[in-house]
Amino acid sequence: MKRHLTVASLPIIPLLAGAALLASVGASAAAGKYTIGISNTVQGNGWREEMICAMKAQALASGEVAKLNIAHRNTDAAGQLEDIRNLISAKVNAIVVNPADPAGIKAGLEEATKAGIVVVAVDQAVTEPSAYIISNNQEQYAYLGAKWLFQQMGGKGEVFYMRGAAGASADSDRDKGFKKALAEFPDVKVAQEVFTGWQQDQAKQQILSFLATGTPINGIWTSGIDNVIVDALVEQQAPMVPVVGADNAGFVGQLNTVKGLVGAAVTNPGSIGGAGVTLALQILDGKKPAQQTVLVDPQLWDNATDEGKAKLKAAADPSLSPEWPVSISIPDWTTYTKDQIVACKGPGE
């Protein structure tokens, strides 16, 4: 069974902070009783950095966490499996993981559960049945944005399809949502499909290379790497076709200010990381949820309607890092303050 939630959105001013691989965050000054392990495989991406900051902030706000053991680096499923096994050896009480590939880390998650460690996957699903999942609804994220885009295209034409990381379950789920919408618009065709790896530089080079071919397109769907795509369109003086992205601060700002840009931001809060810490602590405290999976349902804010424009205007903050989502909290799941997530410090730091 799955429980569905709606996200609240607030702007923040983040201080980006990358955590060192398996870095222990000081236990001496913390009053908590638990050690939480964190495993993440994409570093330098604004969304993932916000996720890490939300985990730190929620651990601190809970008062229950003595120490964080953080594996935060660019790696693949094999590297993440190694990190998970290191966390098991470190005897953490729980592991909160953003999975690189469900099949590739399944054995490690099973080993963690057998060792008595609570496992919570955030942002993306895993296939290990003993793990709990709290995730943004990735299929609905793609479906909402793609359907809106195809409607803006008049139900026909060519779309540039910019996916995330190959093998990631979030990307696979988004692909299902995208193709669900595509099936409803038989006259919309995919001009080209690329994997951005959720990396800004890579995505910008991909759109620039495509624009250089002169192939006409009528819309662009991005898997959350969005503001650099608009930058490329502006720099190349290319036709300003409709663009769909996430609620990243840079893209939200562009939807308010870039002349001729018609687009939509679909919410995808990085604060899901903080929610994952909360769920792990609830389970450690003997409060297991009724459902194994909790999904946070997205909202779509467009600049083609008065309602959407009002939401975009309220969310915009030019002082935000352009790669950070403006959604910093999830009702009932995150309790940290704005200052705490901005500081990006865990227990004892």
Side-chain angles (χ1 to χ4, degrees), residues 2 10 32 36 39 41 62 77 88 99 105 107 118 121-122 131 136 148 165 172 200 207 211 225 284 301 312 318 344:
K2 297 178 180 178
L10 293 170
I36 304 294
S39 175
T41 61
S62 73
I88 295 170
I105 65 168
V118 170
V122 297
N136 298 310
W148 178 91
S172 299
Q200 297 272 60
I207 188 65
L211 292 173
I225 299 297
L284 286 170
W301 310 330
L312 288 166
C344 198

Side-chain angles (χ1 to χ4, degrees), residues 47-342:
W47 193 97
R48 296 293 184 106
E49 299 298 336
E50 183 183 277
M51 179 193 75
I52 294 292
C53 290
M55 290 173 168
K56 288 184 175 185
Q58 189 57 41
L60 181 65
S62 73
E64 292 191 83
V65 180
K67 183 170 65 174
L68 293 175
N69 205 336
I70 302 175
H72 175 40
R73 60 168 173 152
N74 288 317
T75 190
D76 57 10
Q80 185 166 46
L81 180 60
E82 178 186 354
D83 291 345
I84 290 168
R85 285 173 170 155
N86 286 338
L87 292 171
I88 295 170
S89 296
K91 301 186 184 302
V92 299
N93 300 108
I95 296 174
V96 182
V97 56
N98 192 326
D101 174 71
I105 65 168
K106 185 179 185 300
L109 302 186
E110 183 181 10
E111 290 165 20
T113 300
K114 288 180 177 179
I117 297 169
V118 170
V119 176
V120 174
V122 297
D123 183 44
Q124 310 187 69
V126 291
T127 54
E128 169 51 42
S130 65
Y132 291 84
I133 300 165
I134 183 162
S135 173
N136 298 310
N137 190 333
Q138 304 294 355
E139 184 173 340
Q140 187 67 4
Y141 168 94
Y143 176 74
L144 277 181
K147 183 177 181 178
W148 178 91
L149 178 63
F150 302 156
Q151 289 171 336
Q152 289 296 313
M153 292 167 55
K156 61 183 179 180
E158 302 283 334
V159 62
F160 191 41
Y161 181 29
M162 306 191 74
R163 298 179 61 172
S169 57
D171 178 79
S172 299
D173 287 343
R174 289 182 180 187
D175 187 53
K176 291 177 186 175
F178 180 90
K179 287 178 178 171
K180 177 183 175 183
L182 196 64
E184 297 175 8
F185 295 85
D187 293 327
V188 173
K189 307 298 180 184
V190 175
Q192 186 172 333
E193 176 179 334
V194 297
F195 287 94
T196 67
W198 287 307
Q199 296 294 337
Q200 297 272 60
D201 292 347
Q202 181 170 320
K204 187 171 184 179
Q205 186 55 54
Q206 287 167 332
I207 188 65
L208 288 172
S209 296
F210 182 80
L211 292 173
T213 69
T215 304
I217 52 171
N218 306 100
I220 302 172
W221 185 93
T222 80
S223 190
I225 299 297
D226 36 45
N227 64 294
V228 293
I229 303 308
V230 176
D231 288 342
L233 294 175
V234 172
E235 291 167 12
Q236 298 300 308
Q237 298 182 331
M240 194 60 71
V241 298
V243 178
V244 170
D247 58 330
N248 300 316
F251 185 57
V252 168
Q254 289 171 330
L255 290 173
N256 284 317
T257 61
V258 174
K259 185 177 180 180
L261 173 63
V262 177
V266 185
T267 58
N268 182 51
S271 47
I272 198 74
V277 170
T278 296
L279 179 55
L281 292 172
Q282 288 178 353
I283 297 167
L284 286 170
D285 289 336
K287 303 171 186 176
K288 293 184 179 181
Q291 298 85 14
Q292 199 82 4
T293 299
V294 177
L295 295 178
V296 177
D297 288 327
Q299 301 175 23
L300 182 144
W301 310 330
D302 67 16
N303 66 358
T305 64
D306 289 340
E307 181 183 4
K309 288 177 182 177
K311 290 179 178 179
L312 288 166
K313 184 177 180 180
D317 186 340
S319 63
L320 285 172
S321 167
E323 295 181 50
W324 270 54
V326 296
S327 307
I328 65 162
S329 63
I330 299 176
D332 302 323
W333 287 99
T334 59
T335 59
Y336 49 74
T337 66
K338 177 180 176 178
D339 287 344
Q340 284 174 322
I341 191 172
V342 167

